[in-house]
Amino acid sequence: MAYGKIFLVFSDTGAGHRSAAEAIKRAIIELSSKQGDTPPEIVMQDIIEESHLANRLFKHMYNRLLRDRQDWMKYYIALIEWVKPNESEIAYRLSKAYARKLIEEVNPAVIVSVHPMVNHFLARTLKDMGQARKIKLITVLTDPNSRLWTGWACVDADLTIAPNDLARDRLISFGLEPSTIKVIGMPVQPEFLKPPSESRYDLLKRLGLRPDEVTIAITAGSAGGGNMLKIYEALQQVRKPLQVVFSCGKNKKLEVQMVQLAEKSPLRTVVLDYVNSVADSMNACDLLVTKAGGLTTFEAIARRLPMAIDMLTEPMPQEIGTAEMLIEAGLAQPIRQPGDIVPIAEALEVVEERGNLPLPAVHNLDRVDAVYEIAQVILTLCEKVNCENQ
């Protein structure tokens, strides 16, 4: 079967958007190969980083605040929602030459955007180039709740893939036609849907931990932010034996602090800056302490891993809804004070096999394999466009 080229665009504001793009890419390759077809050519690119200096500054400010001042993130998001740089005429003029050149060089049949700040520019550029009928634009949301960024709602996108009914209804309230929205689910990496490549026993032994002991994973995200040091310190009040795998992300200052803290702690602790396989690590642990990022939390859902959500600092607006949804569904518990982690940890037991545990059939929380349907929708549209343009 002949497919046109697929252009996957994202921005490294946090790690979730790149993860979503990689998940879609892997699912497309896997699915087309299973169908006996030659996989389409796929180009992936961070187009915010390269489009213009102003956009690059917005991106770096986002990641800096995410690491050092999460309590300021709500003001940053409010500023973005007020200024709406993704719809700004000035911002478009600064970026349009780059966008036009990029589209001409890649020459895709389908553009798939997994970031709310690039949809509008791409749609307008396609119109200005007279390519809106020839090249299709698909938006894949990664905010699975009703408090999503308005930037996700691009009325000129040919198709918007929503993770659930909450996001769909919000998109409609922003002006999208229901016929242009397809509700499927979150694009979770395929590796989270498969058996681990390294067992719990082998992974924990390799890290110098005990496979038969309650193990808590604490992640500060790719930026290494949040209140994880406070939560870790509170864990020392837990009376039952437990051990911790602490991931610092790209925050070297946090890593140094955690190493010093772990050396004095009674808890058996491994401090990591990078995890070889997040999917295997989630399989090896009994609780994930994290912020309410869309992709991270849905990866944990795919692994049936209970969560404790860091809410010491008010979550970003687009993550509050995710936290509320997961707490209501019984998949996560909130940490509003550091000590809230103590009873959560006290109640934990080692569960060797969680892969077949049922998930709530609400808001597509049980659609952990949605990335394959997303991939199939993209492939079908890609084939259609290729046939029409020949």
Side-chain angles (χ1 to χ4, degrees), residues 112-153:
V112 181
S113 169
V114 295
H115 196 281
M117 301 308 291
V118 303
N119 309 334
H120 299 264
F121 286 166
L122 290 172
R124 184 168 173 183
T125 302
L126 289 173
K127 272 188 175 181
D128 289 351
M129 294 173 67
Q131 296 291 313
R133 294 178 63 87
K134 183 180 178 183
I135 301 173
K136 300 301 181 182
L137 174 62
I138 300 176
T139 300
V140 180
L141 271 69
T142 59
D143 287 334
N145 63 78
S146 62
R147 302 196 187 194
L148 49 85
W149 287 27
T150 57
W152 284 118

Side-chain angles (χ1 to χ4, degrees), residues 142 177 275 287 309:
T142 59
E177 290 293 331
V275 178
L287 178 74
I309 304 293

Side-chain angles (χ1 to χ4, degrees), residues 85-257:
N86 53 304
E87 299 178 27
S88 163
E89 181 66 28
I90 295 174
Y92 176 66
R93 291 183 180 182
L94 291 174
S95 305
K96 67 178 183 179
Y98 167 81
R100 177 185 287 265
K101 180 182 178 183
L102 193 59
I103 292 171
E104 288 174 345
E105 289 177 350
V106 177
N107 190 27
V110 174
I111 299 176
V112 181
S113 169
V114 295
H115 196 281
M117 301 308 291
V118 303
N119 309 334
H120 299 264
F121 286 166
L122 290 172
R124 184 168 173 183
T125 302
L126 289 173
K127 272 188 175 181
D128 289 351
M129 294 173 67
Q131 296 291 313
R133 294 178 63 87
K134 183 180 178 183
I135 301 173
K136 300 301 181 182
L137 174 62
I138 300 176
T139 300
V140 180
L141 271 69
T142 59
D143 287 334
N145 63 78
S146 62
R147 302 196 187 194
L148 49 85
W149 287 27
T150 57
W152 284 118
C154 178
V155 296
D156 293 318
D158 295 282
L159 176 66
T160 299
I161 296 177
N164 55 30
D165 56 316
L166 300 172
R168 175 202 61 207
D169 294 347
R170 189 62 169 164
L171 290 169
I172 293 172
S173 76
F174 289 152
L176 263 64
E177 290 293 331
S179 60
T180 66
I181 304 171
K182 190 172 182 64
V183 179
I184 301 179
M186 287 285 280
V188 172
Q189 292 269 10
E191 66 177 323
F192 289 89
L193 312 175
K194 300 173 182 178
S197 58
E198 186 176 20
S199 70
R200 172 192 174 104
Y201 181 89
D202 289 341
L203 189 149
L204 293 181
K205 287 290 284 185
R206 178 171 56 79
L207 293 177
L209 299 175
R210 295 175 180 173
D212 59 347
E213 195 164 287
V214 168
T215 306
I216 296 177
I218 302 179
T219 175
S222 64
N227 303 285
M228 300 308 171
L229 285 178
K230 295 177 182 178
I231 295 171
Y232 175 81
E233 289 178 319
L235 272 175
Q236 298 177 60
Q237 303 172 31
V238 178
R239 297 178 181 178
K240 70 185 300 179
L242 59 82
Q243 54 198 2
V244 175
V245 178
F246 194 109
S247 177
C248 301
K250 299 175 183 177
N251 191 335
K252 295 299 181 183
K253 180 180 177 181
L254 175 64
E255 185 180 356
V256 170
Q257 291 175 312

